Amino acid sequence: MHYEYVSATDSSPDPLGDILERYLLSGDEEAMDQVVAATRPKLLAVARRIGAPQDAEDAVQGAYMSLLRKRGAGLDAPVLPWLLTTVTRLAY
């Protein structure tokens, strides 16, 4: 998996992992709001570097929609790298 290197070299736990898990397992919408608030500026910055500014918001929204579809299951990677990968793929 392409996230193995991130997990293997990062000795600190995922700071957003516990917060996101609250959403994924119980549907706690406040937890998802916290994830969005913590990641949105970085995701928009990446998306704007790749494509047109008007398309950046669509790429970020698409990444969050992909994350929302994970509800009821766990995420097998740290949250921010997972979202960054998704935004990058959508922006291209």
Side-chain angles (χ1 to χ4, degrees), residues 31-51:
M32 189 62 188
D33 290 342
Q34 290 175 352
V35 170
V36 170
T39 59
R40 190 170 187 278
K42 292 176 186 175
L43 299 179
L44 279 171
V46 168
R48 286 179 181 141
R49 287 186 186 125
I50 294 170

Side-chain angles (χ1 to χ4, degrees), residues 13 15 22 26 36 50 85:
R22 282 193 345 238
S26 68
V36 170
I50 294 170
T85 300

